[in-house]
Amino acid sequence: MTGLRQRMTVAAAAVVLAVLVTAAVFALLRIESGATRHAEDEGRLTLRLWEGLLDQSAAAARVAVGDPRLTEALERGNAAAAMERLGALGFTAVTVVNGAGQTLLAVPADQPIRLLDERRIGQVLARNDTQDGLVLTGGAAQLLLARPFGAQRPADRALVAIRPLTGSLEALAGVLGGSAFLVGSDGTLYGHAGPLAWADVRPAAERGEEAQATIGARGYGVRKLRLPKVAGTEGDGTLYLVTVRETTLAAMADSLLDSSAILVVLMVLVAGTLGLDWYFRRVFTPVYASMSALSALAAGDTGVAVLGAERTDEAGQLARTVEVFRSRSRALRDAEERRARHWLRQQSFIRRQMLRLSETLPEQGRRELLADLARIEAASEGRTPCARTDDPGALAVAFEVMAERVRDQHTALDAMVRQLQSALDTRTELVELQKQFEIARRMQAAILPPDLTTAPDLEASGLMRPAAEFDGSFYDFFLTADGSLAVLIGQVSGGGLAAGFMTVTARAALRTLAAAGLGPAACLTGANRLLAADNAAGLSIGLAMGIVSPRSRRLVFAAAGVPEPFLLRRFGDVVDLPVAANPPLGLDPVMTAVETALDLPVPSTLVLCNGGLLDGENRFGVAFGRARLSGILGNLDDLSAASVTAAVSAGLAEHGGGAAMAVDRLCVALRVRA
């Protein structure tokens, strides 16, 4: 009894300890998770603060780079006046370049800025807007601005200027109450603000994104944040923002809190163990005698004396229960002997009857019946007579075997019926689906126009490579009443007959609205309102529409959910045409499309494609990609519309190996001749 009390005390103490340890572990995990989330939030806030400071610096630089006095000095080629004005505006250097990227004027003359190639300069001039970004030059991270230069519009020159980031770094360090550094991937320092030196912080920063450092007997938290890749002439262009904040007081507070928590847990454990030992000693001492008598009775000694039956507490109840158990154990042995004899009689009766039945069956049925009999006898050998007097014994085993045979037969029959029904349903669905795809393919092929070669100054050609199953894409081009050329491309999400009807509806709506004299944005807005009004299937459609006037060579273009078009200005010169982006149509009835208008060079070729052409993957999982298409267009020797579509068709065949893709791939080329 004393050993049981001690074991229960130890077990209860172990349970209390386990509960405390579990609670402590969960608390530590929660604290660690909270600290991780706090660190992530603090990192995001730091990046947002840095981006906000950069935006402020960029806004101020945009204003400063348009200074009239600086512009006048650069227009006159007065380098001395421009240099004086640069210092007042906070710029390090400025360069004027032409559209081919050649330097026209550099201030200072020995530091021309060569950070933009011809393509980037062309984009700045085409968009007629100021662009900014970070660059690594002159051993420091600086802000670069590029804008069109000159009174002529569109401008044929660009102004490129760089400005230090010292003010932004100092503002960040002041807000964080520490130090801030801009460093490269190899540890090269490109900017610094705050009291600490980079040589003291660098070992901690190189250990990871979050680290602790001890500098001059004080603790500091070091956070390393990766910034977007920047252009420049030094290093690999990777830039990190390293911030340092003092954590000495926070570490002391955490250590004090941990020590207090451990002391409280130990005190609770000791007090709980002592209390449990006292409680178990008081409870188990009165029932010791009854427990000893019960152990002897369980060993088969029915003559043991049970003491304490006269008591009125729980110990007396236990003693009287043991006395009842002793008196009934003798009667139980007699009942078990009677049931055993009855069990043997049942087994003998079932065996005789089943052997008699087997003599009347054919050979197969006889073997199965004898196998069932063997199973019944094997199962009966492992059973013991039940305590109830109405136990069917071996007869119950026989019924179990027969019921199992009936269940097996029904299960096999149900499985055969389900397989047959599933095969019939699958065949019917496949036939209906094939019919829908065939109807949709015929509708898709019927609306594709032939190449346009009759217009004197314009020509158009289209390419469609259909998917393995109908995907709902189309293209179209036609001449309007005033002689302008309208071109359309579209792709419906999903496939089947519903996508085919939406394709026809979208094409008819755009043609009708264009015939009424509406522009591309108005046509897309009207078509979206029509499609969204009755779109129970929830399909969406990507559409693009452009109208080219042959007299003014002006393109008005609107796109919704399709990639940006390409423009071929001359051999090997392929640029992305910047157009306004709109979401796919058919989902939001109140959506209003936005269009873009620009003048096309003469001669030039406009190339439109759908997302399936760029994103379609071959059997190796490699997408066709925008870069591949741009390379094909840049290697053309003939920029006619038919030659462009033929080259794109050959590129698709080489990429996919002639196999059909999961989505339609289409391309339309529009040539503006001189």
Side-chain angles (χ1 to χ4, degrees):
M1 180 64 190
T2 303
L4 176 61
R5 177 178 59 80
Q6 292 176 348
R7 288 194 298 273
M8 292 190 68
T9 302
V10 173
V15 170
V16 173
L17 179 60
V19 171
L20 293 175
V21 171
T22 302
V25 170
F26 275 107
L28 291 176
L29 291 177
R30 183 178 179 86
I31 293 173
E32 183 177 357
S33 176
T36 302
R37 288 195 300 271
H38 176 72
E40 293 175 353
D41 292 341
E42 188 174 351
R44 285 194 293 269
L45 289 175
T46 302
L47 281 179
R48 290 178 183 174
L49 177 60
W50 172 247
E51 291 171 356
L53 292 172
L54 284 183
D55 290 341
Q56 293 179 2
S57 180
R62 284 172 179 262
V63 175
V65 79
D67 180 68
R69 294 173 58 185
L70 176 61
T71 302
E72 180 182 359
L74 294 175
E75 285 283 5
R76 289 187 287 104
N78 190 342
M83 186 65 189
E84 178 182 356
R85 197 59 190 156
L86 282 181
L89 296 175
F91 288 100
T92 304
V94 64
T95 300
V96 179
V97 298
N98 59 14
Q102 298 174 339
T103 301
L104 302 179
L105 177 64
V107 180
D110 58 342
Q111 297 182 13
I113 304 173
R114 303 184 182 276
L115 302 177
L116 296 180
D117 55 19
E118 179 183 357
R119 187 179 68 85
R120 292 284 302 280
I121 294 173
Q123 291 178 352
V124 171
L125 296 177
R127 296 177 181 177
N128 194 26
D129 190 15
T130 301
Q131 297 187 12
D132 58 72
L134 291 182
V135 294
L136 302 180
T137 179
Q142 302 191 58
L143 179 66
L144 180 140
L145 292 94
R147 57 167 292 178
F149 182 73
Q152 178 183 350
R153 288 295 180 270
D156 58 354
R157 294 174 297 168
L159 177 66
V160 184
I162 56 176
R163 191 176 191 181
L165 297 175
T166 306
S168 300
L169 272 179
E170 291 177 350
L172 178 64
V175 172
L176 297 179
S179 299
F181 305 88
L182 286 175
V183 298
S185 58
D186 57 353
T188 303
L189 181 64
Y190 291 107
H192 166 226
L196 296 178
W198 171 240
D200 297 331
V201 177
R202 180 171 181 174
E206 291 178 348
R207 290 199 298 268
E209 296 180 356
E210 296 284 341
Q212 295 294 324
T214 301
I215 303 174
R218 290 183 176 272
Y220 293 89
V222 180
R223 175 173 286 105
K224 185 178 182 181
L225 303 172
R226 182 168 183 167
L227 300 178
K229 193 177 185 67
V230 299
T233 59
E234 300 178 359
D236 60 357
T238 303
L239 193 63
Y240 293 91
L241 175 63
V242 180
T243 60
V244 184
R245 301 178 67 179
E246 186 174 353
T247 59
T248 305
L249 296 179
M252 294 175 61
D254 291 341
S255 176
L256 180 60
L257 181 61
D258 293 342
S259 301
S260 302
I262 294 173
L263 180 60
V264 170
V265 169
L266 291 177
M267 293 177 62
V268 171
L269 180 62
V270 171
T273 303
L274 294 177
L276 288 171
D277 183 70
W278 171 82
Y279 175 76
F280 287 143
R281 184 186 299 112
R282 182 176 179 182
V283 169
F284 281 101
T285 299
V287 299
Y288 177 71
S290 296
M291 293 289 290
S292 299
L294 185 61
S295 299
L297 187 60
D301 185 8
T302 58
V304 65
V306 182
L307 304 178
E310 71 282 357
R311 296 171 60 99
T312 58
D313 56 4
E314 290 81 358
Q317 293 179 1
L318 179 61
R320 289 190 292 272
T321 301
V322 174
E323 181 65 29
V324 172
F325 177 73
R326 185 182 62 175
S327 62
R328 290 185 177 180
S329 62
R330 297 173 182 176
L332 181 61
R333 284 200 300 269
D334 296 339
E336 288 177 350
E337 292 176 358
R338 290 194 298 270
R339 283 192 292 274
R341 290 192 296 269
H342 180 67
W343 179 270
L344 293 176
R345 287 196 298 270
Q346 283 185 349
Q347 288 181 329
S348 177
F349 173 78
I350 292 173
R351 179 175 181 80
R352 289 196 305 271
Q353 295 299 322
M354 293 189 71
L355 288 176
R356 185 180 301 173
L357 180 60
S358 66
E359 295 175 356
T360 64
L361 297 176
E363 183 62 25
Q364 180 64 27
R366 183 173 180 274
R367 286 198 299 268
E368 293 179 355
L369 187 63
L370 292 179
D372 290 342
L373 176 60
R375 290 181 58 193
I376 293 172
E377 290 178 343
S380 300
E381 291 177 358
R383 290 171 61 94
T384 57
C386 182
R388 296 175 53 186
T389 57
D390 58 348
D391 175 44
L395 187 60
V397 179
F399 276 116
E400 290 177 2
V401 174
M402 289 186 288
E404 181 181 352
R405 179 172 292 277
V406 172
R407 286 194 302 270
D408 292 342
Q409 292 176 352
H410 278 287
T411 300
L413 182 59
D414 290 341
M416 293 176 61
V417 172
R418 286 194 300 270
Q419 291 176 359
L420 180 59
Q421 185 64 41
S422 176
L424 292 175
D425 293 342
T426 302
R427 181 178 179 83
T428 302
E429 292 175 359
L430 180 59
V431 171
E432 292 298 326
L433 186 59
Q434 289 175 345
K435 290 180 179 179
Q436 289 189 15
F437 282 153
E438 184 62 28
I439 294 172
R441 283 195 179 97
R442 289 199 296 269
M443 294 171 59
Q444 183 184 34
I447 65 176
L448 297 179
D451 289 355
L452 177 67
T453 58
T454 58
D457 298 328
L458 301 172
E459 63 179 32
S461 177
L463 167 68
M464 163 68 80
R465 281 188 172 266
E469 297 180 356
F470 181 75
D471 191 41
S473 298
F474 74 95
Y475 68 84
D476 193 10
F477 38 78
F478 54 89
L479 293 175
T480 62
D482 61 353
S484 298
L485 178 61
V487 59
L488 313 172
I489 63 171
Q491 181 172 11
V492 181
S493 65
L497 198 55
F501 280 121
M502 176 169 273
T503 298
V504 175
T505 302
R507 175 178 175 272
L510 290 177
R511 273 182 167 263
T512 302
L513 294 172
L518 299 180
C523 290
L524 263 62
T525 301
N528 173 69
R529 190 176 299 111
L530 174 64
L531 297 173
D534 187 16
N535 189 11
L539 300 176
S540 65
I541 181 169
L543 287 175
M545 180 177 182
I547 298 178
V548 180
S549 174
R551 292 185 297 273
S552 64
R553 305 299 196 271
R554 188 166 182 81
L555 169 66
V556 182
F557 189 83
V562 299
E564 290 184 349
F566 297 85
L567 182 64
L568 283 71
R569 297 181 295 190
R570 54 184 179 271
F571 296 124
D573 185 8
V574 182
V575 297
D576 299 337
L577 200 61
V579 294
N582 298 288
L585 308 183
L587 301 177
D588 184 6
V590 299
M591 191 274 289
T592 301
V594 180
E595 65 186 17
T596 302
L598 49 88
D599 296 329
L600 294 177
V602 178
S604 63
T605 303
L606 181 68
V607 181
L608 289 75
C609 63
N610 68 337
L613 186 144
L614 299 180
D615 301 334
E617 298 180 349
N618 58 15
R619 59 192 180 92
F620 301 106
V622 179
F624 189 75
R626 194 174 184 91
R628 185 190 300 269
L629 179 56
S630 180
I632 292 174
L633 299 177
N635 291 325
L636 289 176
D637 296 330
D638 183 3
L639 301 185
S640 65
S643 298
V644 170
T645 54
V648 174
S649 177
L652 290 174
E654 180 183 358
H655 173 257
M661 297 295 179
V663 295
D664 291 338
R665 295 168 293 170
L666 61 86
C667 174
V668 176
L670 172 62
R671 178 67 172 173
V672 180
R673 295 192 290 263

